[in-house]
Amino acid sequence: MKLLKYPFWILYRIWFYILVTLPILLLFPFLVLSILRESWYPYFFRLAQLWAKIILAGMGFRWVIKREEPIDPYKSYMFIANHTSMADIMLMLISAKNPFVFVGKAELAKIPIFGFFYKRTCILVDRGSEKSRRAVFLRAQKRLKQGLSICIFPEGGVPDDTSTVLDEFKDGAFRLAINHQIPIVPMTFIDNKERFSYVFFSGGPGKMRVKIHKFLSTEGLTSKDAKALNNKARSIILQQLLEAHKN
Protein backbone atom coordinates (compact mmCIF):
# COMPACT_ATOMS: atom_id res chain seq x y z
CA MET A 1 0.00 0.00 0.00
CA LYS A 2 2.84 2.36 0.88
CA LEU A 3 4.40 1.81 -2.56
CA LEU A 4 1.28 3.32 -4.14
CA LYS A 5 1.90 6.53 -2.19
CA TYR A 6 5.35 7.20 -3.67
CA PRO A 7 4.09 8.67 -6.97
CA PHE A 8 1.68 10.87 -5.00
CA TRP A 9 4.48 12.11 -2.70
CA ILE A 10 6.72 12.94 -5.68
CA LEU A 11 3.97 14.89 -7.43
CA TYR A 12 2.94 16.51 -4.15
CA ARG A 13 6.47 17.89 -3.59
CA ILE A 14 6.71 19.14 -7.16
CA TRP A 15 3.32 20.85 -6.78
CA PHE A 16 4.56 22.56 -3.61
CA TYR A 17 7.48 24.17 -5.45
CA ILE A 18 5.17 25.24 -8.25
CA LEU A 19 2.89 26.90 -5.69
CA VAL A 20 5.86 28.61 -4.04
CA THR A 21 7.15 30.01 -7.34
CA LEU A 22 4.08 30.82 -9.43
CA PRO A 23 2.49 33.48 -7.15
CA ILE A 24 5.87 35.21 -6.82
CA LEU A 25 6.13 35.44 -10.60
CA LEU A 26 2.55 36.71 -10.92
CA LEU A 27 2.97 39.26 -8.12
CA PHE A 28 6.54 40.16 -9.07
CA PRO A 29 5.97 43.83 -10.07
CA PHE A 30 3.98 44.54 -6.89
CA LEU A 31 6.51 42.70 -4.70
CA VAL A 32 9.39 44.68 -6.19
CA LEU A 33 7.57 47.97 -5.65
CA SER A 34 6.81 47.07 -2.03
CA ILE A 35 10.50 46.56 -1.16
CA LEU A 36 11.79 49.77 -2.74
CA ARG A 37 11.44 51.59 0.59
CA GLU A 38 11.69 50.12 4.09
CA SER A 39 8.64 52.12 5.16
CA TRP A 40 6.58 50.18 2.60
CA TYR A 41 7.37 46.83 4.24
CA PRO A 42 3.80 46.39 5.64
CA TYR A 43 2.55 46.29 2.03
CA PHE A 44 5.09 43.59 1.21
CA PHE A 45 3.94 41.68 4.29
CA ARG A 46 0.31 41.67 3.11
CA LEU A 47 1.42 40.30 -0.26
CA ALA A 48 3.47 37.65 1.55
CA GLN A 49 0.36 36.66 3.51
CA LEU A 50 -1.54 36.24 0.24
CA TRP A 51 1.34 34.11 -1.10
CA ALA A 52 1.20 31.96 2.04
CA LYS A 53 -2.56 31.41 1.80
CA ILE A 54 -2.30 30.38 -1.85
CA ILE A 55 0.35 27.78 -0.99
CA LEU A 56 -1.40 26.32 2.04
CA ALA A 57 -4.81 26.20 0.37
CA GLY A 58 -3.29 24.80 -2.83
CA MET A 59 -1.63 21.99 -0.84
CA GLY A 60 -4.96 21.08 0.72
CA PHE A 61 -4.08 22.35 4.20
CA ARG A 62 -6.83 23.76 6.44
CA TRP A 63 -5.45 26.03 9.14
CA VAL A 64 -7.21 26.26 12.49
CA ILE A 65 -5.87 28.94 14.84
CA LYS A 66 -6.73 29.12 18.55
CA ARG A 67 -5.60 32.14 20.57
CA GLU A 68 -5.29 32.39 24.33
CA GLU A 69 -4.63 36.12 24.11
CA PRO A 70 -5.39 38.71 21.40
CA ILE A 71 -2.53 40.37 19.54
CA ASP A 72 -2.51 44.16 19.75
CA PRO A 73 -2.08 45.51 16.18
CA TYR A 74 -0.23 48.55 17.55
CA LYS A 75 2.43 46.66 19.52
CA SER A 76 5.65 44.87 18.59
CA TYR A 77 6.23 41.24 19.57
CA MET A 78 8.70 38.39 19.33
CA PHE A 79 6.90 35.51 17.60
CA ILE A 80 8.38 32.04 18.13
CA ALA A 81 7.27 28.52 17.16
CA ASN A 82 8.53 24.97 16.75
CA HIS A 83 10.12 24.23 13.37
CA THR A 84 9.54 20.93 11.56
CA SER A 85 8.20 21.80 8.11
CA MET A 86 8.78 23.85 4.98
CA ALA A 87 5.24 25.11 5.53
CA ASP A 88 6.16 26.73 8.88
CA ILE A 89 7.01 30.04 7.19
CA MET A 90 3.65 30.19 5.45
CA LEU A 91 1.69 29.22 8.56
CA MET A 92 3.50 31.85 10.62
CA LEU A 93 2.63 34.54 8.06
CA ILE A 94 -1.04 33.65 8.46
CA SER A 95 -1.02 33.15 12.25
CA ALA A 96 0.67 36.42 13.23
CA LYS A 97 -1.45 39.32 12.03
CA ASN A 98 1.07 42.04 12.82
CA PRO A 99 3.72 42.71 10.16
CA PHE A 100 6.92 41.04 11.29
CA VAL A 101 10.41 40.37 9.97
CA PHE A 102 11.91 36.88 9.96
CA VAL A 103 15.35 36.26 11.39
CA GLY A 104 16.57 33.32 9.34
CA LYS A 105 19.47 31.39 7.91
CA ALA A 106 21.58 33.22 5.32
CA GLU A 107 21.72 30.06 3.15
CA LEU A 108 18.05 30.45 2.18
CA ALA A 109 18.98 33.55 0.19
CA LYS A 110 20.49 31.20 -2.42
CA ILE A 111 17.08 29.76 -3.36
CA PRO A 112 16.13 31.04 -6.85
CA ILE A 113 13.42 33.74 -6.99
CA PHE A 114 12.37 33.23 -3.33
CA GLY A 115 15.89 34.19 -2.22
CA PHE A 116 15.73 37.50 -4.09
CA PHE A 117 13.00 38.77 -1.76
CA TYR A 118 14.16 36.81 1.28
CA LYS A 119 17.52 38.56 1.52
CA ARG A 120 15.93 41.98 0.98
CA THR A 121 13.20 41.65 3.60
CA CYS A 122 14.52 39.32 6.31
CA ILE A 123 17.30 39.64 8.86
CA LEU A 124 19.88 37.10 7.73
CA VAL A 125 22.18 35.38 10.18
CA ASP A 126 25.19 33.15 9.66
CA ARG A 127 25.06 31.06 12.82
CA GLY A 128 28.74 30.22 12.49
CA SER A 129 29.75 33.88 12.64
CA GLU A 130 29.81 35.81 15.91
CA LYS A 131 29.90 39.09 13.95
CA SER A 132 26.74 38.09 12.03
CA ARG A 133 24.91 37.17 15.23
CA ARG A 134 25.77 40.54 16.80
CA ALA A 135 24.55 42.37 13.68
CA VAL A 136 21.13 40.76 14.12
CA PHE A 137 20.54 42.81 17.29
CA LEU A 138 21.22 46.09 15.48
CA ARG A 139 19.01 45.24 12.49
CA ALA A 140 16.22 44.01 14.77
CA GLN A 141 16.39 47.23 16.77
CA LYS A 142 15.97 49.25 13.58
CA ARG A 143 12.93 47.20 12.53
CA LEU A 144 11.32 47.41 15.96
CA LYS A 145 11.69 51.19 15.91
CA GLN A 146 9.69 51.11 12.67
CA GLY A 147 6.83 49.45 14.58
CA LEU A 148 7.40 45.94 13.22
CA SER A 149 7.63 42.66 15.10
CA ILE A 150 10.28 39.93 14.86
CA CYS A 151 9.91 36.20 14.23
CA ILE A 152 12.49 33.54 15.09
CA PHE A 153 12.28 29.74 15.10
CA PRO A 154 14.41 29.24 18.25
CA GLU A 155 15.42 25.65 17.47
CA GLY A 156 17.75 27.24 14.92
CA GLY A 157 16.85 24.64 12.29
CA VAL A 158 15.06 21.35 11.83
CA PRO A 159 16.41 18.45 13.94
CA ASP A 160 18.22 15.75 11.94
CA ASP A 161 16.58 13.10 14.11
CA THR A 162 12.96 12.98 12.91
CA SER A 163 11.91 11.34 16.19
CA THR A 164 12.78 14.53 18.10
CA VAL A 165 9.56 16.16 19.27
CA LEU A 166 11.16 19.52 20.05
CA ASP A 167 14.84 20.39 19.88
CA GLU A 168 16.64 22.61 22.38
CA PHE A 169 16.06 26.36 21.92
CA LYS A 170 18.83 28.84 21.24
CA ASP A 171 18.85 31.93 23.49
CA GLY A 172 18.96 34.57 20.73
CA ALA A 173 15.22 35.21 20.45
CA PHE A 174 14.91 35.62 24.22
CA ARG A 175 17.90 37.94 24.53
CA LEU A 176 16.50 40.07 21.71
CA ALA A 177 13.05 40.24 23.31
CA ILE A 178 14.51 41.15 26.71
CA ASN A 179 16.87 43.70 25.18
CA HIS A 180 13.96 45.46 23.48
CA GLN A 181 11.41 44.75 26.24
CA ILE A 182 8.83 43.22 23.89
CA PRO A 183 6.48 40.33 24.78
CA ILE A 184 7.21 36.84 23.49
CA VAL A 185 4.35 35.07 21.70
CA PRO A 186 4.88 31.28 21.86
CA MET A 187 3.07 29.34 19.13
CA THR A 188 2.71 25.59 18.68
CA PHE A 189 2.42 24.25 15.14
CA ILE A 190 0.80 20.94 16.02
CA ASP A 191 0.39 19.14 12.69
CA ASN A 192 3.08 20.54 10.36
CA LYS A 193 5.46 17.63 10.84
CA GLU A 194 2.75 15.19 9.83
CA ARG A 195 1.37 17.34 7.01
CA PHE A 196 4.63 18.34 5.28
CA SER A 197 7.93 17.49 6.97
CA TYR A 198 11.41 17.67 5.45
CA VAL A 199 11.24 13.89 4.85
CA PHE A 200 10.61 13.70 1.10
CA PHE A 201 8.32 10.68 1.04
CA SER A 202 5.77 11.85 3.58
CA GLY A 203 2.87 14.24 4.12
CA GLY A 204 -0.51 14.96 2.66
CA PRO A 205 -3.51 17.31 2.83
CA GLY A 206 -5.30 17.88 6.11
CA LYS A 207 -5.71 20.10 9.14
CA MET A 208 -2.95 22.41 10.42
CA ARG A 209 -3.64 23.43 14.00
CA VAL A 210 -1.97 26.43 15.61
CA LYS A 211 -2.10 27.21 19.33
CA ILE A 212 -1.12 30.79 20.20
CA HIS A 213 -0.30 30.71 23.90
CA LYS A 214 -0.45 33.47 26.48
CA PHE A 215 2.33 35.96 25.96
CA LEU A 216 5.47 35.93 28.08
CA SER A 217 6.35 39.35 29.44
CA THR A 218 9.95 40.57 29.37
CA GLU A 219 9.23 43.67 31.41
CA GLY A 220 11.99 44.27 33.95
CA LEU A 221 14.01 41.23 32.86
CA THR A 222 17.73 41.33 32.05
CA SER A 223 19.98 39.19 29.87
CA LYS A 224 20.58 36.96 32.89
CA ASP A 225 16.94 35.86 32.65
CA ALA A 226 17.21 34.71 29.01
CA LYS A 227 17.83 31.03 29.79
CA ALA A 228 14.93 30.81 32.26
CA LEU A 229 12.63 32.48 29.73
CA ASN A 230 13.91 30.11 27.05
CA ASN A 231 13.09 27.08 29.21
CA LYS A 232 9.63 28.42 30.05
CA ALA A 233 8.72 29.03 26.39
CA ARG A 234 10.06 25.64 25.30
CA SER A 235 8.15 23.89 28.08
CA ILE A 236 4.87 25.50 26.96
CA ILE A 237 5.32 24.41 23.33
CA LEU A 238 6.58 20.93 24.22
CA GLN A 239 3.66 20.28 26.58
CA GLN A 240 1.18 21.30 23.87
CA LEU A 241 2.83 18.99 21.32
CA LEU A 242 2.80 16.03 23.71
CA GLU A 243 -0.82 16.62 24.74
CA ALA A 244 -2.01 17.03 21.15
CA HIS A 245 -0.41 13.81 19.96
CA LYS A 246 -1.81 11.77 22.83
CA ASN A 247 -5.28 12.22 21.35
Side-chain angles (χ1 to χ4, degrees), residues 69 71 75-81 150-152 154 169-187 212-219 221 225-234 236-237:
E69 189 172 344
I71 293 171
K75 288 184 69 173
S76 294
Y77 298 92
M78 172 65 72
F79 297 111
I80 65 167
I150 302 293
C151 173
I152 296 179
F169 282 3
K170 307 291 190 297
D171 284 339
F174 307 96
R175 284 201 223 99
L176 260 174
I178 289 171
N179 189 46
H180 298 293
Q181 293 289 284
I182 57 173
I184 293 171
V185 182
M187 300 188 190
I212 301 179
H213 303 277
K214 287 186 178 179
F215 309 157
L216 302 179
S217 174
T218 59
E219 189 175 348
L221 300 184
D225 300 303
K227 178 56 70 176
L229 195 59
N230 175 334
N231 292 336
K232 185 174 183 180
R234 184 178 180 276
I236 290 168
I237 294 174

Side-chain angles (χ1 to χ4, degrees), residues 62-65 91 188-192 194 207-211 244-245 247:
R62 295 177 289 107
W63 55 91
V64 178
I65 302 170
L91 194 59
T188 305
F189 293 168
I190 297 169
D191 306 296
N192 288 21
E194 180 183 354
K207 188 184 294 184
M208 277 186 165
R209 291 169 292 170
V210 181
K211 180 69 173 289
H245 292 295
N247 303 327

Side-chain angles (χ1 to χ4, degrees), residues 25-240:
L25 294 175
L26 293 174
L27 295 169
F28 195 83
F30 304 102
L31 289 167
V32 170
L33 280 173
S34 68
I35 63 172
L36 290 179
R37 299 177 68 173
E38 282 194 349
S39 60
W40 293 348
Y41 181 82
Y43 299 108
F44 172 84
F45 184 80
R46 299 308 174 198
L47 290 171
Q49 286 184 310
L50 174 62
W51 170 78
K53 287 178 180 179
I54 290 170
I55 294 167
L56 295 183
M59 293 295 289
F61 301 142
R62 295 177 289 107
W63 55 91
V64 178
I65 302 170
K66 292 186 178 180
R67 306 174 188 273
E68 290 188 340
E69 189 172 344
I71 293 171
D72 186 336
Y74 302 104
K75 288 184 69 173
S76 294
Y77 298 92
M78 172 65 72
F79 297 111
I80 65 167
N82 54 311
H83 192 25
T84 57
S85 169
M86 287 185 281
D88 292 341
I89 290 174
M90 296 83 185
L91 194 59
M92 181 62 80
L93 284 165
I94 290 173
S95 302
K97 300 296 185 182
N98 292 20
F100 65 80
V101 176
F102 278 112
V103 174
K105 295 182 291 186
E107 306 93 86
L108 295 181
K110 298 175 183 177
I111 299 174
I113 304 176
F114 170 84
F116 174 83
F117 293 101
Y118 177 80
K119 66 185 177 184
R120 287 166 175 79
T121 58
C122 298
I123 299 173
L124 307 190
V125 57
D126 177 357
R127 298 188 188 278
S129 166
E130 180 64 30
K131 182 179 178 181
S132 175
R133 293 198 299 270
R134 286 199 304 267
V136 167
F137 281 82
L138 296 175
R139 293 195 63 192
Q141 184 176 46
K142 183 179 179 182
R143 290 306 213 170
L144 289 166
K145 284 181 178 178
Q146 294 169 347
L148 301 174
S149 293
I150 302 293
C151 173
I152 296 179
F153 294 110
E155 288 169 278
V158 177
D160 294 329
D161 184 354
T162 56
S163 66
T164 301
V165 177
L166 187 66
D167 209 350
E168 295 300 318
F169 282 3
K170 307 291 190 297
D171 284 339
F174 307 96
R175 284 201 223 99
L176 260 174
I178 289 171
N179 189 46
H180 298 293
Q181 293 289 284
I182 57 173
I184 293 171
V185 182
M187 300 188 190
T188 305
F189 293 168
I190 297 169
D191 306 296
N192 288 21
K193 190 173 186 177
E194 180 183 354
R195 296 275 74 82
F196 202 71
S197 77
Y198 280 83
V199 176
F200 190 89
F201 293 109
S202 66
K207 188 184 294 184
M208 277 186 165
R209 291 169 292 170
V210 181
K211 180 69 173 289
I212 301 179
H213 303 277
K214 287 186 178 179
F215 309 157
L216 302 179
S217 174
T218 59
E219 189 175 348
L221 300 184
T222 69
S223 57
K224 294 179 181 179
D225 300 303
K227 178 56 70 176
L229 195 59
N230 175 334
N231 292 336
K232 185 174 183 180
R234 184 178 180 276
S235 177
I236 290 168
I237 294 174
L238 179 59
Q239 184 178 352
Q240 181 65 55

